[in-house]
Amino acid sequence: MEEEARGAPELNRSPAPRDFHFYPMDLYDSEDRLPIFPEESRRRRREVQAETTSAPRGAAKGKPQSHFEGEVDELGHLYGLEDDHELGYEFVDENRPRIEVSESPPYVMESREPAREQRDWRLPGEAAEAEALGFGGWGSEGQCQDLREAYRYTHGRASEEYECYVIPEEEDEEEAADVFCVTCRTPVRALEEAFDEHKGHEVTPLSKALENAKDEIHKNMYRLEKQIIEMENFASHLEEVFITVEENFGRQEQNFESHYNEILETLAQKYEEKIQALGNKKKEKLEALYGQLVSCGENLDTCKELMETIEEMCHEEKVDFIKDAVAMADRLRKFLETKTDVEISAQPALEDQSLDFSDVEQLLDSINTIPAPSAPVINPQAPNSATGSSVRVCWSLYSDDTVESYQLSYRPVRDSSPGKDPAEFTMTVKETYCVVINLVPNTQYEFWVTAQNRAGVSPTSECAVYMTAPSPPIIKSKEIRSCEDAVLICWESGNLNPVDSYTVELIQAETPEASGVTESVVGIPSCEALVQLQPRQTYTIYVRALNVGGPSTRGEPTTVHTTGSYFRLNQHTCHPWLTISEDGLTAVRGERKTPAREPPPRNTRFSRCVAVMGNLIPVRGRHYWEVEVDEHLDYTVGVAFAEVPKQEDLGTNGLSWCMRHTWVSPRHKYEFLHNKMTPDIRITVSPRKIGILLDYENSKLSFFNVDISQHLYTFSCQLHRFVHPCFSLEKPGCLKIHNGISMPKHATFY
């Protein structure tokens, strides 16, 4: 096969440049898989079919088909075209990963950026011609055509669905900026600063500019946070005023509505009463007139009858006329003697009906007459509603009364001791709350309130007790003890009255502004706390006091380094002949020429041995410190329990483990004492700085010559309780303690 491949003439193609990338392109497999440019796709298919059916098999320069099969298979294997199932789903698309082929290793596929972000390495004319054929990126037009014809000839179908794009390697990214142009306010390279448009401008290192920008951002963020808090407080105040105004006007609307409804009901009642009275009067008059009308009709009928009778009598004979005339005369006489009422009993004119609206007028007047409000009710103190000098008092009005203002009065709560009553203070406010200022920290105050309007003043509310927040505690920096894993913090309350609890805030940074609170320890009942920390870190520590009114402000901070163990000498155990320095790390014994009056002995103070103890943190683990001494000084260093007898020398009992040095010219004597016993050890090089390692875990106490990294001796101790460093000076001189340092390597093996 190799000989056939060598015998076949080479196709006109140029080798692919180094570090160029080839991408398979499937554009004509099916319209379902890539439904773009459908007309172009159909046109290409027709051209391909025409070529495959009409092109002579000998068009490939008269060579046998087997030669082309070998050549094409080799090319297909070289460019990954032999398996259309693997390449059929690869599209050169902006949303698909692409495959690259480079020289080293030869045929490794790598994921590349989309093709639209690559740069074409060819000449514009050649690129345009290659793109027109759908096979741009590798070789010339003729070479590409030869490759397509050969592949179609051997596989019997169009091979244009496997297109190869050659994409050059990305150029190296531009060199990163390393300086900052202050004039243009943009990062630039130092080379640009020297030769470009930034020449002569003020520049600064990029790291410094970054730090300055961060500082400026932190400052602006602090100001922004402060402004946000102020705006939130102002918005809360506006909201409360809004609610108060809404409640007041709501009550006023309800008052008006109730009064007007009452007036309307009264008017309706009066209307009904007047209508009924008019009806009764009308009925009475009509009945009287009707009766009078009936009587008048009856009289008229009688008169008519008499007239007709008399007329009939006039036509009778004289004898009959005389007889009837006598009877008629008596009848007429009796009828005329009857009095006939001809006066109208009821007048038709409407009588003047006066309406009494006095009660309505009273109701109308009552609308403008507001009653005095009822007594307000003071709310209990809300959490975090006070500061050290102010307190926020709130109350409520559970009636619909209209209130124009409130009178808030307060005074400090009286204690049980007799004396003058505390002064009372009164202030006028419009809302149902008030922030009272200029108060004493951690103090209880009594508050009561009255409401008033034009009608008068309400009764006084019940008294409510509010409390201001405590004063910030004061950290005792000289009593702080620490090790690599913890710190023991002590502080003074700073308040006359007791507080509920304390909170310790830790910031793991060099400066408090660098970051927020890393950790908070809350609910501490006493004025000290043992807090676990991370080794070899720097912490800024704050302490707050807390009561029902809220937390105090932060006290003055202190800084703790968790590098080694840190402690100070305890003044309460110091012998009167010793003087402790201000930093608590140096003990001095001076010359005593005349006996001085010594203070009375105490159980905690050394009286016979001129010694002092240190306050080591009560944390188990490994603690290391160093003592700087004079080689001609008589001294004793070690550890002891707190209850070690103060009337005995160190190392003479079972409660202390010590190293004693005695110098009698020209000899140095070193003893490692515990319960008056010492091993036979000789030290040839006198140490000027002694390292002491206390190991609670292994119950050991080791001594080292720091200057030459020499191990001196190790005690096996029964440390069932915590011990304290102890130091003694048998002659005038001084020793200095070095602590808060890392443990040296030579001490880690013991």
Side-chain angles (χ1 to χ4, degrees), residues 39 55-56 74 114 153 182 312 391 491 528 534 546 634 644 709:
E39 298 179 358
E74 181 181 358
Y153 184 78
V182 180
E312 291 177 356
V391 66
W491 60 85
E528 68 175 22
Q534 297 294 328
L546 184 69
D634 292 353
V644 64
S709 303

Side-chain angles (χ1 to χ4, degrees), residues 382-611:
N384 301 326
S385 61
T387 65
S389 60
S390 66
V391 66
R392 180 186 177 89
V393 184
C394 301
W395 57 89
S396 303
L397 195 65
Y398 290 107
S399 64
D400 295 334
D401 299 334
T402 300
V403 178
E404 295 179 357
S405 63
Y406 297 92
Q407 295 286 333
L408 178 64
S409 302
Y410 65 95
R411 66 186 175 190
V413 175
R414 290 175 293 182
D415 53 13
S416 58
S417 61
K420 188 173 68 173
D421 293 338
E424 297 182 1
F425 303 91
T426 302
M427 52 197 314
T428 303
V429 294
K430 296 290 186 181
E431 293 81 18
T432 56
Y433 69 93
C434 180
V435 178
V436 184
I437 60 175
N438 298 326
L439 303 180
V440 180
N442 200 36
T443 304
Q444 292 182 333
Y445 287 86
E446 289 180 325
F447 289 90
W448 63 94
V449 65
T450 59
Q452 63 181 11
N453 56 19
R454 288 177 294 175
V457 181
S458 72
T460 304
S461 68
E462 296 291 334
C463 290
V465 176
Y466 278 58
M467 191 171 189
T468 54
S471 299
I474 303 172
I475 298 178
K476 300 178 181 178
S477 300
K478 294 183 178 181
E479 297 184 15
I480 292 180
R481 293 168 274 172
S482 65
C483 62
E484 290 193 350
D485 301 321
V487 61
L488 181 63
I489 311 167
C490 304
W491 60 85
E492 294 179 355
S493 173
N495 298 276
L496 296 177
N497 299 323
V499 300
D500 295 343
S501 63
Y502 297 92
T503 299
V504 175
E505 296 179 353
L506 307 174
I507 298 177
Q508 188 175 341
E510 292 294 335
T511 57
E513 296 80 11
S515 61
V517 175
T518 304
E519 181 182 358
S520 294
V521 183
V522 300
I524 303 173
S526 60
C527 290
E528 68 175 22
L530 182 63
V531 183
Q532 300 295 324
L533 302 178
Q534 297 294 328
R536 294 175 294 279
Q537 299 292 333
T538 299
Y539 292 88
T540 302
I541 301 178
Y542 298 88
V543 180
R544 297 179 187 263
L546 184 69
N547 64 9
V548 67
S552 69
T553 58
R554 288 175 171 177
E556 291 295 327
T558 186
T559 302
V560 174
H561 306 278
T562 55
T563 303
S565 299
Y566 180 81
F567 63 89
R568 292 171 181 260
L569 297 176
N570 189 354
Q571 291 274 6
H572 300 293
T573 63
C574 181
H575 189 278
W577 291 0
L578 288 180
T579 302
I580 307 302
S581 62
E582 183 68 21
D583 59 3
L585 299 176
T586 303
V588 180
R589 177 177 178 177
E591 298 285 347
R592 300 185 62 85
K593 298 181 180 179
T594 57
R597 185 177 181 180
E598 300 177 1
R602 295 184 297 179
N603 294 332
T604 60
R605 186 184 293 272
F606 286 96
S607 58
R608 177 180 177 182
C609 178
V610 185

